[in-house]
Amino acid sequence: MTIFSKIIRGEIPSYKCAENDKFYAFLDINPLAQGHTLVVSKREVDYFFDLTDEELAEMIVFAKQVAAAIKQAFPCRKVGMAVLGLEVNHAHIHLVPLQSEGDMDFRKDKLKLSPEQMQQTAESISRAFAQ
Ligand code: AMP
């Protein structure tokens, strides 16, 4: 089982932002920007493009709703979307609030946010998602 499946099952803690029956959104623990969120498929599939066409379509629509919540909670020019999956073999999308192109550079130093800041960040996105 992947670390993300353990998070989805609640066996490992996460800063949850949103959820439906098929997808789970939570803060990336090493954020590129405040509000950097991961959208994960509850069905454990390694490679994003091995999801079914229907799952991919539904996942993008769910990510769209999460992106709107991120943008509302953390005003930004755009919310960027990226798929890497080089570290965790469980299909997921990165959503990153963008002010400039460099905000999407995965090689840059990550933000250091306290647990309290992470909790408040997740709550802000979660509130906006529920509206
Ligand atoms: P990648 O598989 O290359 O898309 O990278 C996996 C991402 O998951 C990285 O940005 C990590 O910071 C993030 N990550 C790994 N473990 C956790 C965790 N337990 N909670 C939140 N984010 C995580």
Side-chain angles (χ1 to χ4, degrees):
M1 189 188 301
T2 69
I3 186 165
F4 287 173
S5 285
K6 289 182 183 163
I7 284 174
I8 292 161
R9 286 162 159 245
E11 293 171 11
I12 290 179
S14 68
Y15 296 100
K16 178 178 162 180
C17 300
E19 181 178 22
N20 71 9
D21 58 331
K22 294 192 178 134
F23 309 105
Y24 187 89
F26 60 106
L27 296 183
D28 193 304
I29 205 75
N30 297 306
L32 286 167
Q34 189 175 18
H36 180 172
T37 300
L38 302 175
V39 172
V40 181
S41 161
K42 288 190 176 177
R43 187 165 82 85
E44 194 179 297
V45 174
D46 173 354
Y47 183 41
F48 181 74
F49 291 113
D50 281 338
L51 289 165
T52 66
D53 292 357
E54 192 182 14
E55 285 170 330
L56 281 171
E58 287 180 354
M59 193 165 175
I60 299 291
V61 172
F62 180 74
K64 173 180 175 176
Q65 294 159 355
V66 177
I70 292 170
K71 197 163 191 301
Q72 189 180 322
F74 296 96
C76 52
R77 285 179 60 197
K78 299 272 170 70
V79 173
M81 184 175 114
V83 173
L84 284 81
L86 296 173
E87 185 187 316
V88 178
N89 295 322
H90 186 145
H92 58 281
I93 292 169
H94 292 257
L95 296 175
V96 184
L98 300 179
Q99 303 297 352
S100 70
E101 195 182 7
D103 293 338
M104 205 74 174
D105 181 354
F106 281 82
R107 293 165 302 188
K108 76 174 189 180
D109 290 341
K110 306 302 187 292
L111 284 186
K112 298 265 182 284
L113 298 177
S114 68
E116 292 74 23
Q117 288 172 312
M118 291 290 276
Q119 188 60 40
Q120 285 167 7
T121 302
E123 281 171 12
S124 299
I125 296 170
S126 183
R127 262 198 307 275
F129 185 83
Q131 282 176 5

